[in-house]
Amino acid sequence: KARRATILIKSSESPSRMELTCNHCAKLKNTSIICRASDLVFCLKDKAIHLALRRNKSLETLIARENPKEKNRRWCPMKYFCRVCNGPVANGMLFGPNKEELVTFDSEDVTLDGTPTKSWRTIHEQSAIPTQTNKEIFEVSLEAIVERPKERTNFYNTDELKNLRPWQLINNHIPRDYQLESAIPLLLGKNLLVTIPTGFGKTLIAILSTMALKQRNPKKKCVLIVDRVTLVLQHRDSFVQYCGMPISDNNNDTNDHQSLNIVPIYGEISNQTLESQIHNGNYDILICTAQILENYLEDGVMDLEDLYLLIADEAHNTRRDHPYRRIFNRYAAIADPQFRPLILALTASPTSGSSSSDIERNLRDLEENLKCELYLPECLIRNSKKPKIDWIRISQVESSQTQLEAAILDVLYSLNQTFQNWPKFRKDELKTRRYLGQLRRQPESKTILDAIKIFGCLDLNEVQGPEITCQQLRIFLEGRKDSHLAPLKKIVDEILQVPTGKYSQKTENLLQSLKSPDVKQAIIFAKRKFTVSELSKILGSKFPRKVGRIVGHSGDGMTAEEQEDAVAKFRNSETKYLVATSVIEEGFDIPNCNFVLCYDGVRSLKAFVQSRGRARSQDSTIQVFTTNLERDFQLENQEREVEIIFEKRKKRHDVEPLKILENWMELLKDHVPTYTKSMMLEFRGQVDEISEMIDGMSGIVREGTLIDVDGHVTVQVRVQSLTNIPDLLKKLTEMRSNVWILSRDLNSESRTLICDLRLGNFSDRKFFSHGTVGRFSCCIDVSTRMMIFSQSRIEMHVAFETIQSWIVIDSVTVGYPQVYIPVRQPPHFYYRKESSVERFVPKDFSSFGNCHTLRLDFPGKTLQDLGRFAVLSQFSIQVYHGMVPSQSFGAIFEEISSDFRDEVDYLLRCLTSQFPAFLSGCSRKDLKLDEKTPEERIDFLKFLLSGNFQTFKEAEKMWRPLPSFQLEDVNDDKYAWIRRAIITPTRCIFLEPIRMLSNRCLRRFGSSIFLKVQFRDENMQLLRDWSDSMKNRMGLIMNSGIPESGILEFPKLRILGCSPGQLRDQSCWFVDCSSRDLREEIYLTMGQDLFQLESLPGIVSRFGMCLSSTEPTVQVEKMQEIPDVKSKDEKYTFTDGIGRISGPLFRKICEKIGKDPNFISAVQIRFRGMKGVVSVLSPEEDVQDCVIYWRNSMHKFESDYSVIDVVSVAGPNALYFNREIINILRSRGVPDMVFLKLQEDHLKLLKKPFTCVKEAVKAFAPFRPDFPGISDDDILIDSLSKGILYAKYRYELQLLRNKANIYVPMGRLLMGVVDETGTLQQGQVYIQYTPLPDEENYPPRVVEGPIVVGKNPCLHPGDIRRLTAVDNPKLSHHKNCIVFPAQGSRPHPDECSGSDLDGDRYWVSWHQDLIPTADYDPMEHIPKKKIDASSRSDVILWIRTGRSSHHRDEQQPARNHRQFSPGSI
C-alpha cells in the first residue's frame, strides 16, 4: 500500500503564522512547508467541512497528476503530491455550478500544533481560518447565472379535466382505470402520496401526470428524483418510450410528434454537455438521484420554484436525514404556495410498525415529511394476486457448519479477552459488522490480522459451507503453533475427515430451488457484497453464462454502467439468475422474473414488500430463508394491518375524481388502441447476418440484444398483433429457414374448438405423419391442468406435465392453424357412462404407442381463435409460431425381420420402440448396417441406444467402432444376458439385454429364447386402473399370445409363467415359439403333475421354483429320504422344508460357490423337484459318500434335474431393525431411549470411514474390484473413492430416514435350521456366530441367555418371540444359523409370522435392553384355501383375473399377510 502523507497544522498566536506541512517529510526528519494558513479557507458543503486552498491560488510546493483511479475522476480528476517527498497531500475536487476545482486536504491526516485530530470540525471551531459557504466561494460564477422570472404553478379545474384526453399525450397508450384515477387529484392541484402494489404501473402515473401538467406549465420543468442510480436509467427508458427523447451530446434530431427533452443525471456521469444543459435550463424533465437535486439547489443551479411537478419515487425513504427529507423541507420553506410545484410521491410500502397505532403514526409522519396526502385508487383491487410465499426454515441443529461456527467464535472470544482498552463483546456479538469495524480501527498487529482473517471465515462458512471454509482455514493454520489457534485447528482436521457436502445448508436449499423447471428467471437477494460474490461463483459453476450480479458503488463495487449492463442482460434473458444486494430491491422491473429468493431473510416489512415486487410474472414465487418463523410471520400480519388502515383511508376520498374517471372511461369505449406484442425470434446462423436482416425489415422493431448460444441466435422484437404473424413468418422464411417465434402474449379466452387429430413424430423440426385418428372437440382445462379431447362419449386426456416444454403453431403452411404437441407418453382414454367414467384401450392403440406428437388441425379457424393455447406458457410450456414441413413415416418398422433370436433385429426393435421420433423418416438402408461387420452392427446399435445425441446424422458422426464386441461372450452357468420388454396399454418397449443371474430354465434352454415382460402404465408405474377393457387388453396377450395382440412385432412369443414375486411386480416370462412350441417341454421340467395340482397358488409357486435365480453347483445321484418330525397332534411339522447333507458333498458345494465351509453349515437349494434348506451332518454322524437327505415337506414335484442349484447360504449377516420391528418392540415394553441410543451409535459408525483409513478400506472393499488402481492410503484422498464413500453414506442416511434402518451390533440375521439331535427343549435355541466381513477376526462365539427372535415382516405383537439361547456341544458344528428345537406344542418358526425352515431368515438379538418385558401370544395362521384348476387356461386366467373358471361366481380367498391375491394382472 502506498503510504499516505499526513498534513500537520502548526498553530501559533495568529493564522498568518500557521503552517501546513507534510507529515511524510517530518517522519524523514525533514521540514516541508506546503503553505501558510492565510492561503486556506474552510468550505461548507452538504453539511460537511472541507479545508481547501483559496480559489485562484497556486502553489509551487505541489505537483499535480491525474487521478490514477479512473472511476473517481468524475468528482476528483487531479491528485496533488509533495514536491520534496513525492507523497500524496491533496485532492483536486470539483465544486460549484460549473464544476470548478478546489484543492482540498484530507482531515483524517491533519494535526494542529502536534495534536492529532480525525475531524476538520474540531479545527474549524478552534481555528481563526475563515469559513465560507459554497455560494460565497463561487460568487463570481453564480453572478453569471441568468435570473429567470418566477411563474405560478398551474393545474386544471374540473371542467377542463373532463375534456382532457390524457392518453393522447402518451403515444395513445391506454392507461388502466386506477392509473387514470390516481392522476386526477394531482391534476386538480393536490399533492399526492400514491400507494399501489409493485408491478401495477406507478411509473405510468408519473408520466401521465407529467405530460398533462406540462400543457398548463410550458415554461416550467419537471424533476423526478430516485434514491439509487439504477432507477435513473430505468425511468429514463420509460419516459422516452411514452413521451419523449433523451438528450445526447449532439441532439439535433426531430420527431414527428411533440417530444420532451429528458435528461438523466447521476453521480458518476461525466457528460459535460448534459451538465451544461441543466445549468442553462435547456431541458423539460430531469431524472436524477435526490443528492444531485440537493446539490443543484445548494449551488443555485435551479430552484424549486422553477418546477411545476416534483416526483419522488420510492418515497417511503423520506425519513431522518435522507436527501428526500431535506429537499421537502426546502419545499416547505417556499413562502408563496402558488409558486410551489405539485408533488407526486410514489411507493408500494409507505409504512410499517409493530401495531396499528405505530403504523398510523408512521404514516402520518410520512405524509407530513412529504407534504402530501395518502391516496389509494378506489377501483384498484387491493387483494390482487400476490406471489406465492414460501418461508424456508434453516435448521439450527448440530452440524459440521454449526460446529465450525462455534469454534471460530470461541477463538475470536479468546482473542477478544487479550485486547487492551477494548469494549467487551458477548460471544453472539462477535458475528456482527460492529465487531469487524472495531477490529479494522485498531493499529495493525499479528493478533488483529488473525482476528480479521478468522472473522472472514464466518461469512465463508455461511455460504460455501464447512468443507471449503476448513480448506481455507487449513492453509491459514498451516505451521501456526499459537495456543489460541489450537482448538480451531483440531476442529478443522475433524471436519475435513467427515463428509459435509459441498455447500452450506442455505446454499444447498438455494440450488435445489433453482433446479425447479418452473423457474423462468430468478433474483437472489443477499445482504453483503461478499455473499453476492460467493453465490455468483457457485451458481456460475452450476449454470455457466447464465448468472449475473449487482452490488452497490462503494468500495470495490460496480459503476452505474456496469449495473445497467447487468440489468440489461437480465432483462433480455441473456442471464437467467441475478444475485444482488438491496441495491435493486426497489423499482427494479423485469416482467419475466417469476422467482425471488431472500438468501439472508428480510429485514423489515418494506424490504419484504419490495423484494416480493421484483417477481412480476404470473404464478410467481418468493422464498425467504429464515431462522425465526414467528418473527417473519409477523411481517405478514403487519401487512394485513396496513391494508386495513388503507381501506379506512379510502372512505375519506372525494367523489369528484371518480366522476371524472367515469367520463374518461366512457370516452375510451370507442377508442381502439394499437397494441403491440413482444415476441422472441429464434434463428440458426451468424449474429451479424441476422441482426442486419431484422433491422432491415419494416413493421418490426428490435428490442432485446442478440444472443448467440450454441449456434442459436435469439432476439426480442415487437410486432403488431397476432394477425401479422403469418405474414411475418412468410417473409422471414423466405430470407432464412428454420425460423420460430416464441410468443409472450397471453390470451385466457376459454373456448372449445373442433379439430382433426393426427398422429406422428417430430424430429429435427419436421413432422412425420403416421395417420389420422378423427375429429374431436378440444378444451384446455387449467383447473385440472389437462387438455381434453372429446368425441361422443369418448375422452382423451393429455396432462400438461406429459407435454414437452414447447408446442408449435403453424398458421402458414396449409392456410389454417395446425398445432403440434409433442408428448412424453401416450394419452389416457376414457369412456363416459351415465354414472361413471371408465378407462379403456383404443383399437388402434399401437399408433398412439409409436407416435409421440399430436397434430391438431383447425380448418376454417384463424390464429386469434387459438389464443387459449398461450395459457400453456403459464405452466412452463413455451408456445412457438413457425412453419413445420411434413413428410411420411419411415419404413424402418416394416423392414425389421421377426426373428426374435437375431441380435441385430432385436436391438433394432429396442431402438425403434424407445426412440420412434429419432428414426422417423429413416429406413434400414440409412443405418448402413450392411457396410459393417457383425460386431460393429451390435456396437453401433448399442451406441444409438445410449441416446446422447439429437439426430441420426449427429450420431453417425460421433460413433467410432470398438475393437470387438459380442453379446454372448460373458455368458456362463451363473449369469445370462436377459432380454426385456415393458408393455403399457398402448406400447411395447423393448429394452437392451442386461446381465442377470440365470435360472434352471435359462441354463437348460438358452437365454436367447426368453423375454422378461413387465406390465406398466404409460408413466412406467404399476398399473392400477384395471377396467374391463384393460383386463381384456392384457389378457389377450396372456391368453392368446403375442400375434393376436398386435403390439409385439415378434409373432411367436408366448407367455410361459411367473413366480409369486414377479406376480406382485406385474411381470412374467415369455418364450419364443417360432420354430416349435417349447412350452410343453419347459413345463415338463417343472413336473408332469404341474397342471394336476389342486392349488393355483401352488402352480405359480412351482413356476417360481424353476424361474428363480440360482447358482448351479454339483450333480448328485445319491439321495435318501428321512421322515419329518411332527407335533404330537400332527398339526405342525418341526422340520418343514429342511433336510440334511453329508460333509463331503457340502464341501464340494462350498468350493463351487466360493464359500468357506468353516463359516457356514446350511444352504438353501433347488434340487430335482425339491426346495428348502439342507444342513450339514455333525462330525459324529458324517459319512464318506456324497449324499443328500430329503424330507417329504421339501418335495414339490417329480423331476430328473440332478444338479443342486444354490439360492443362498447361511453366512454371517448384520442385523438392521426397521420401523415395523421398532413399533412392535415399543408396544411390548422396550423404552424409546434404547432405539435412540442405537441410532446415535449407528450414525457414529457411518462416519468412521471418513476419520479412519482402516474403516475406509473396509467400507470401500465392495467397490475394490471395479477400482483396483486406488491404493488403501489414497481412499480418503482420491476424489473418486471419496465420492463413492460419500454416496454410500448418503444412501445409508436415506435408509435410516425412510425405513428407520438401524444397525444392531448385538444381533444377527440368521437362517433357521432344526435340532436333529433332539436335545433342545421348547423355548431354547442354539446360536453360534462368526465375525462379519468387515469385522476383525475372532473365534466363533456362542450366545447364551435371553434373546428376542422374529421374522420380517412383523405385523403382529406375537410375531416376536422371547426365547433362551443355550450352549450345546452336540450342535457346535452349526455356525451362523439359529437352531430351533424339534419338540414342543408348536414350532417356534411357525410362531414367528407363520414361517418355516425352507430358507427363511430370522433376526436375532441378545441385546438385553431389547428383550420385551411383556408377553404376547403368537398369532394362529389360517392355512391357504385351495383353488381347483384343470388346465393351463385356468392358470393363465387366474394370473390375469385372480380366479379359476370353476370359481367365477365365488369371492376370492381372503388375504392375509402371507398370501398375495394376484388380482392385479
Side-chain angles (χ1 to χ4, degrees), residues 1224-1263:
I1224 293 179
L1225 289 176
R1226 289 179 61 206
S1227 69
R1228 295 195 46 186
V1230 179
D1232 290 348
M1233 292 304 300
V1234 176
F1235 302 108
L1236 293 175
K1237 181 64 170 59
L1238 287 173
Q1239 178 177 271
E1240 182 180 352
D1241 295 341
H1242 182 50
L1243 288 172
K1244 291 179 180 179
L1245 187 65
L1246 293 180
K1247 294 180 180 179
K1248 275 189 176 181
F1250 302 96
T1251 58
C1252 176
V1253 175
K1254 187 175 181 180
E1255 295 295 330
V1257 172
K1258 293 180 182 178
F1260 193 70
F1263 312 101

Side-chain angles (χ1 to χ4, degrees), residues 667-691:
L667 294 174
L668 282 172
K669 284 185 177 180
D670 299 329
H671 185 86
V672 182
T674 303
Y675 288 101
T676 56
K677 307 299 179 185
S678 182
M679 304 289 180
M680 298 294 293
L681 291 140
E682 273 194 8
F683 301 89
R684 296 177 184 269
Q686 298 298 320
V687 175
D688 296 339
E689 177 186 356
I690 294 172
S691 176

Side-chain angles (χ1 to χ4, degrees), residues 144-161:
I145 298 177
V146 178
E147 188 71 24
R148 292 179 292 273
K150 297 181 180 179
E151 293 189 4
R152 294 176 53 185
T153 301
N154 299 313
F155 40 84
Y156 293 86
N157 58 39
T158 303
D159 294 334
E160 292 172 334
L161 204 55

Side-chain angles (χ1 to χ4, degrees), residues 690-736:
I690 294 172
S691 176
E692 182 180 354
M693 179 183 71
I694 293 296
D695 294 339
M697 294 183 63
S698 60
I700 179 171
V701 179
R702 178 155 56 96
E703 288 183 331
T705 55
L706 289 165
I707 309 160
D708 191 357
V709 181
D710 300 331
H712 295 269
V713 180
T714 306
V715 59
Q716 184 170 353
V717 299
R718 187 166 290 276
V719 298
Q720 297 298 320
S721 60
L722 291 172
T723 55
N724 288 16
I725 290 181
D727 294 336
L728 177 62
L729 278 174
K730 290 179 180 178
K731 293 179 182 178
L732 292 175
T733 308
E734 292 174 359
M735 304 174 69
R736 192 87 187 177

Side-chain angles (χ1 to χ4, degrees), residues 1141-1151 1157 1160-1163 1174 1176:
I1141 188 172
S1142 65
L1145 180 57
F1146 182 74
R1147 286 187 287 273
K1148 284 185 178 181
I1149 293 175
C1150 291
E1151 181 182 0
I1160 59 176
S1161 59
V1163 291
V1174 288
V1176 67

Side-chain angles (χ1 to χ4, degrees), residues 1124 1133 1135-1139 1171-1174 1193-1194 1396-1399:
D1124 276 308
T1133 301
T1135 57
D1136 190 5
I1138 188 169
K1171 61 171 289 192
V1173 172
V1174 288
S1193 58
M1194 300 172 59
D1396 50 31
L1397 299 177
D1398 66 350

Side-chain angles (χ1 to χ4, degrees), residues 760-773:
N761 282 310
F762 207 91
S763 179
D764 196 23
R765 296 201 173 189
K766 297 178 182 178
F767 179 71
F768 296 90
S769 177
H770 186 72
T772 302
V773 178

Side-chain angles (χ1 to χ4, degrees), residues 904-921:
V904 173
D905 282 338
Y906 178 78
L907 291 176
L908 277 173
R909 284 297 178 198
C910 295
L911 191 63
T912 55
S913 62
Q914 293 182 44
F915 308 104
F918 170 72
L919 290 175
S920 297

